[in-house]
Amino acid sequence: MTEQQIKAATEKFEALIREQSERSDKIKQQGDFVDYEKLDKIIIGVCGGDGIGPIITKESARVLEFMLADEVKAGKVEFKVIDGLTIENRVATNKAIPDDVLEELKSCHVILKGPTTTPQAGDPWPNIESANVAMRKALDLFANLRPVKVPSEGIDWTFFRENTEGAYAVGSKGVNVTDDLAMDFVVTTTEGCERIAKLAYDYARRNKKERVSIITKANIIKTTDGKFLNLCKNIGKDYPEIITDEWYIDITTAKLIDPKRRTDFKVFILPNLYGDIITDEAAEFQGGVGTAGSANIGKKYAMFEAIHGSAPRMIKEGRGKYADPCSMLRASVMLLSHIGKQDKADALERALDYCMYEDAKLKITGRENGCTCEEFGNYVMETVKSGK
């Protein structure tokens, strides 16, 4: 390794430090959360993404328009279709989110977003950042909420995954110091930790959840994970009625499949990478990632999405119309709740439970032996109408 290589790597690291310090300062300057009841009109952006994204997003938007028909007619809600997050368009502009698309997203209050393809090693695409990661940073969507419920198993979990820091904050800005040495970076700020912890504990208090579990690997990743753990524990002191416990990420993944232990868990707080992984495991308990939606919450914006990918193979094989919309429909439930339409959220959630588990007269298989995405959407809306 030469002195020139060390200097070049050090200069890149210095630039990252300055960038993240500036971001930390901006967090301190933020105001309060949006009060949707005070808005004259709520604008819902519908951004399909790529792969199966446009198919399942269009269907979920159709169901949402059905649920909000009165509000749309009264001019209280507007749907805005936003194209441009396909992998082809992002590669053409060499940006995770093209500038014009980002401006359209910022003109909305909440966004229903379909899956997007993220290039990886071996792909024909250049190394552009994940659109999801870029959107979370650009709109400061710092909290990723993923609920998992299986009443028959005693499972009632809510995951609060920190969205804008950790291993994903500068995931595309690692340094190839030499051909033999590459380094990536993990980012943890006081402001970032405290706001995700407060959101999780406030949720636990409002919903009468008696336990919050902080998940890290602080015994090994001592600086950043240790900071995350200690700051979250300090926030927990302001909620004396709630039990705070701490777990390492590896044993947590094991205990989620332990029938005797897993029912103790209620609310989780996790750094970005751990939250991404463990919520996929958790989703398997209620039928897989295709059944799970997620909310990405900031103070000014909110984005709702599936937790699975864009499934380009389904498109290549001509099976797109058989894609499962349930993940996006679950995300739509969370969207309705977030904008203050809890009665409609409850009605849609009840219909999904009926259509997916109780009646299940239409099966989604992803192939011709199952129903289409549109047919399932019709099934859900018919169920809502019937009040089952």
Short mmCIF file of all heavy atoms in Angstrom, two decimals, residues 148-150 152-153 155 157 159 253-259 262 278-289 291 357:
data_model
loop_
_atom_site.label_atom_id
_atom_site.label_comp_id
_atom_site.label_asym_id
_atom_site.label_seq_id
_atom_site.Cartn_x
_atom_site.Cartn_y
_atom_site.Cartn_z
N VAL A 148 -46.13 -7.34 12.42
CA VAL A 148 -46.35 -8.77 12.14
C VAL A 148 -47.31 -9.29 13.20
O VAL A 148 -47.03 -9.19 14.39
CB VAL A 148 -45.04 -9.57 12.18
CG1 VAL A 148 -45.33 -11.07 12.07
CG2 VAL A 148 -44.11 -9.13 11.06
N LYS A 149 -48.44 -9.84 12.74
CA LYS A 149 -49.44 -10.39 13.68
C LYS A 149 -49.86 -11.78 13.24
O LYS A 149 -50.23 -12.00 12.09
CB LYS A 149 -50.67 -9.49 13.74
CG LYS A 149 -50.46 -8.17 14.45
CD LYS A 149 -51.77 -7.41 14.59
CE LYS A 149 -51.58 -6.10 15.33
NZ LYS A 149 -52.86 -5.36 15.50
N VAL A 150 -49.79 -12.72 14.18
CA VAL A 150 -50.33 -14.07 13.99
C VAL A 150 -51.03 -14.43 15.29
O VAL A 150 -50.44 -15.03 16.19
CB VAL A 150 -49.23 -15.10 13.66
CG1 VAL A 150 -49.87 -16.44 13.30
CG2 VAL A 150 -48.33 -14.61 12.54
N SER A 152 -53.09 -16.64 16.30
CA SER A 152 -53.12 -18.04 16.71
C SER A 152 -51.82 -18.49 17.35
O SER A 152 -51.78 -19.47 18.10
CB SER A 152 -53.43 -18.94 15.51
OG SER A 152 -52.41 -18.83 14.52
N GLU A 153 -50.72 -17.78 17.08
CA GLU A 153 -49.41 -18.11 17.64
C GLU A 153 -49.01 -17.16 18.78
O GLU A 153 -47.91 -17.26 19.31
CB GLU A 153 -48.34 -18.05 16.54
CG GLU A 153 -48.55 -19.02 15.39
CD GLU A 153 -48.28 -20.46 15.79
OE1 GLU A 153 -47.54 -20.67 16.77
OE2 GLU A 153 -48.81 -21.37 15.13
N ILE A 155 -48.40 -14.04 18.40
CA ILE A 155 -47.41 -13.10 17.86
C ILE A 155 -48.07 -11.77 17.57
O ILE A 155 -49.05 -11.69 16.82
CB ILE A 155 -46.77 -13.68 16.57
CG1 ILE A 155 -45.92 -14.90 16.91
CG2 ILE A 155 -45.93 -12.61 15.87
CD1 ILE A 155 -45.42 -15.65 15.68
N TRP A 157 -46.04 -8.30 16.93
CA TRP A 157 -44.77 -7.60 16.92
C TRP A 157 -44.87 -6.32 16.09
O TRP A 157 -45.53 -6.29 15.05
CB TRP A 157 -43.67 -8.45 16.29
CG TRP A 157 -43.41 -9.76 16.98
CD1 TRP A 157 -43.54 -10.05 18.30
CD2 TRP A 157 -42.96 -10.97 16.35
NE1 TRP A 157 -43.19 -11.35 18.55
CE2 TRP A 157 -42.83 -11.95 17.37
CE3 TRP A 157 -42.63 -11.34 15.05
CZ2 TRP A 157 -42.41 -13.25 17.12
CZ3 TRP A 157 -42.21 -12.63 14.79
CH2 TRP A 157 -42.10 -13.57 15.82
N PHE A 159 -41.98 -3.63 14.55
CA PHE A 159 -40.56 -3.35 14.39
C PHE A 159 -40.36 -1.88 14.00
O PHE A 159 -40.97 -1.41 13.04
CB PHE A 159 -39.94 -4.24 13.32
CG PHE A 159 -39.97 -5.70 13.66
CD1 PHE A 159 -41.08 -6.48 13.37
CD2 PHE A 159 -38.88 -6.30 14.29
CE1 PHE A 159 -41.12 -7.83 13.69
CE2 PHE A 159 -38.90 -7.65 14.61
CZ PHE A 159 -40.03 -8.42 14.32
N THR A 253 -32.69 -13.52 16.36
CA THR A 253 -33.18 -14.31 15.22
C THR A 253 -33.52 -15.73 15.65
O THR A 253 -34.44 -16.34 15.11
CB THR A 253 -32.14 -14.35 14.08
OG1 THR A 253 -30.93 -14.95 14.55
CG2 THR A 253 -31.85 -12.96 13.57
N ALA A 254 -32.77 -16.25 16.62
CA ALA A 254 -33.05 -17.59 17.12
C ALA A 254 -34.31 -17.61 17.97
O ALA A 254 -35.16 -18.50 17.85
CB ALA A 254 -31.86 -18.11 17.93
N LYS A 255 -34.47 -16.61 18.84
CA LYS A 255 -35.60 -16.60 19.77
C LYS A 255 -36.94 -16.30 19.08
O LYS A 255 -37.99 -16.62 19.63
CB LYS A 255 -35.34 -15.62 20.90
CG LYS A 255 -34.24 -16.09 21.85
CD LYS A 255 -34.54 -17.49 22.40
CE LYS A 255 -33.43 -18.02 23.28
NZ LYS A 255 -33.70 -19.41 23.75
N LEU A 256 -36.89 -15.70 17.90
CA LEU A 256 -38.16 -15.49 17.19
C LEU A 256 -38.80 -16.80 16.77
O LEU A 256 -40.01 -16.85 16.54
CB LEU A 256 -37.94 -14.60 15.96
CG LEU A 256 -37.65 -13.12 16.20
CD1 LEU A 256 -37.75 -12.35 14.88
CD2 LEU A 256 -38.59 -12.51 17.22
N ILE A 257 -38.01 -17.86 16.66
CA ILE A 257 -38.60 -19.15 16.32
C ILE A 257 -38.76 -20.05 17.54
O ILE A 257 -39.10 -21.23 17.41
CB ILE A 257 -37.78 -19.88 15.23
CG1 ILE A 257 -36.35 -20.17 15.69
CG2 ILE A 257 -37.78 -19.07 13.94
CD1 ILE A 257 -35.57 -21.04 14.71
N ASP A 258 -38.53 -19.50 18.72
CA ASP A 258 -38.72 -20.23 19.97
C ASP A 258 -40.14 -19.96 20.49
O ASP A 258 -40.44 -18.85 20.95
CB ASP A 258 -37.69 -19.75 20.99
CG ASP A 258 -37.82 -20.43 22.35
OD1 ASP A 258 -38.82 -21.16 22.56
OD2 ASP A 258 -36.94 -20.22 23.20
N PRO A 259 -41.04 -20.92 20.42
CA PRO A 259 -42.44 -20.68 20.82
C PRO A 259 -42.59 -20.18 22.25
O PRO A 259 -43.53 -19.45 22.56
CB PRO A 259 -43.09 -22.06 20.65
CG PRO A 259 -42.22 -22.79 19.69
CD PRO A 259 -40.83 -22.30 19.95
N ARG A 262 -40.87 -16.20 22.01
CA ARG A 262 -41.22 -15.17 21.02
C ARG A 262 -42.45 -14.36 21.39
O ARG A 262 -42.59 -13.22 20.94
CB ARG A 262 -41.40 -15.81 19.64
CG ARG A 262 -42.57 -16.76 19.51
CD ARG A 262 -42.51 -17.46 18.18
NE ARG A 262 -43.63 -18.38 17.98
CZ ARG A 262 -43.57 -19.44 17.16
NH1 ARG A 262 -42.45 -19.70 16.49
NH2 ARG A 262 -44.61 -20.21 17.00
N ILE A 278 -34.14 -8.93 9.90
CA ILE A 278 -34.99 -9.66 10.83
C ILE A 278 -36.48 -9.49 10.51
O ILE A 278 -37.29 -10.37 10.81
CB ILE A 278 -34.68 -9.25 12.28
CG1 ILE A 278 -35.06 -10.39 13.24
CG2 ILE A 278 -35.39 -7.96 12.67
CD1 ILE A 278 -34.55 -10.20 14.64
N THR A 279 -36.85 -8.38 9.87
CA THR A 279 -38.26 -8.22 9.52
C THR A 279 -38.67 -9.14 8.38
O THR A 279 -39.84 -9.51 8.27
CB THR A 279 -38.60 -6.76 9.16
OG1 THR A 279 -37.66 -6.28 8.18
CG2 THR A 279 -38.56 -5.87 10.38
N ASP A 280 -37.71 -9.54 7.54
CA ASP A 280 -38.03 -10.56 6.53
C ASP A 280 -38.28 -11.90 7.20
O ASP A 280 -39.20 -12.65 6.83
CB ASP A 280 -36.89 -10.69 5.53
CG ASP A 280 -36.90 -9.60 4.47
OD1 ASP A 280 -37.73 -8.66 4.60
OD2 ASP A 280 -36.10 -9.66 3.53
N GLU A 281 -37.46 -12.23 8.21
CA GLU A 281 -37.69 -13.47 8.96
C GLU A 281 -39.05 -13.42 9.64
O GLU A 281 -39.84 -14.37 9.56
CB GLU A 281 -36.61 -13.67 10.02
CG GLU A 281 -36.84 -14.94 10.84
CD GLU A 281 -36.03 -15.00 12.13
OE1 GLU A 281 -35.45 -13.99 12.53
OE2 GLU A 281 -36.00 -16.09 12.73
N ALA A 282 -39.35 -12.30 10.27
CA ALA A 282 -40.61 -12.18 11.00
C ALA A 282 -41.81 -12.30 10.06
O ALA A 282 -42.84 -12.89 10.42
CB ALA A 282 -40.65 -10.83 11.73
N ALA A 283 -41.69 -11.74 8.85
CA ALA A 283 -42.80 -11.79 7.90
C ALA A 283 -43.18 -13.21 7.53
O ALA A 283 -44.33 -13.49 7.17
CB ALA A 283 -42.45 -10.99 6.65
N GLU A 284 -42.22 -14.14 7.60
CA GLU A 284 -42.51 -15.53 7.25
C GLU A 284 -43.58 -16.13 8.16
O GLU A 284 -44.32 -17.03 7.76
CB GLU A 284 -41.23 -16.37 7.34
CG GLU A 284 -40.25 -16.14 6.19
CD GLU A 284 -40.84 -16.53 4.85
OE1 GLU A 284 -41.35 -17.67 4.73
OE2 GLU A 284 -40.79 -15.71 3.92
N PHE A 285 -43.69 -15.63 9.37
CA PHE A 285 -44.68 -16.17 10.30
C PHE A 285 -46.11 -15.90 9.84
O PHE A 285 -47.03 -16.63 10.20
CB PHE A 285 -44.47 -15.60 11.71
CG PHE A 285 -43.29 -16.15 12.42
CD1 PHE A 285 -42.06 -15.51 12.35
CD2 PHE A 285 -43.38 -17.33 13.15
CE1 PHE A 285 -40.95 -16.02 13.01
CE2 PHE A 285 -42.27 -17.85 13.81
CZ PHE A 285 -41.06 -17.19 13.74
N GLN A 286 -46.30 -14.82 9.07
CA GLN A 286 -47.66 -14.51 8.63
C GLN A 286 -47.85 -14.79 7.14
O GLN A 286 -48.79 -14.30 6.53
CB GLN A 286 -48.03 -13.06 8.95
CG GLN A 286 -47.24 -12.00 8.23
CD GLN A 286 -47.72 -10.60 8.58
OE1 GLN A 286 -48.39 -10.38 9.58
NE2 GLN A 286 -47.37 -9.64 7.74
N GLY A 287 -46.93 -15.56 6.55
CA GLY A 287 -47.12 -15.97 5.17
C GLY A 287 -46.06 -15.52 4.20
O GLY A 287 -46.19 -15.76 3.00
N GLY A 288 -45.00 -14.87 4.68
CA GLY A 288 -43.91 -14.47 3.80
C GLY A 288 -43.91 -12.99 3.49
O GLY A 288 -44.84 -12.26 3.80
N VAL A 289 -42.81 -12.55 2.84
CA VAL A 289 -42.65 -11.12 2.56
C VAL A 289 -43.72 -10.61 1.60
O VAL A 289 -44.00 -9.41 1.56
CB VAL A 289 -41.24 -10.81 2.00
CG1 VAL A 289 -40.18 -11.10 3.03
CG2 VAL A 289 -40.97 -11.60 0.72
N THR A 291 -46.73 -10.93 1.93
CA THR A 291 -47.92 -10.56 2.70
C THR A 291 -47.69 -9.33 3.56
O THR A 291 -48.61 -8.87 4.24
CB THR A 291 -48.33 -11.71 3.64
OG1 THR A 291 -47.33 -11.86 4.66
CG2 THR A 291 -48.47 -13.01 2.88
N TYR A 357 -56.92 -15.47 4.60
CA TYR A 357 -56.82 -16.58 5.55
C TYR A 357 -58.14 -17.32 5.81
O TYR A 357 -58.14 -18.54 5.93
CB TYR A 357 -56.26 -16.08 6.89
CG TYR A 357 -54.97 -15.32 6.77
CD1 TYR A 357 -54.85 -14.02 7.26
CD2 TYR A 357 -53.85 -15.89 6.17
CE1 TYR A 357 -53.66 -13.32 7.16
CE2 TYR A 357 -52.66 -15.20 6.05
CZ TYR A 357 -52.58 -13.90 6.54
OH TYR A 357 -51.40 -13.22 6.44
#
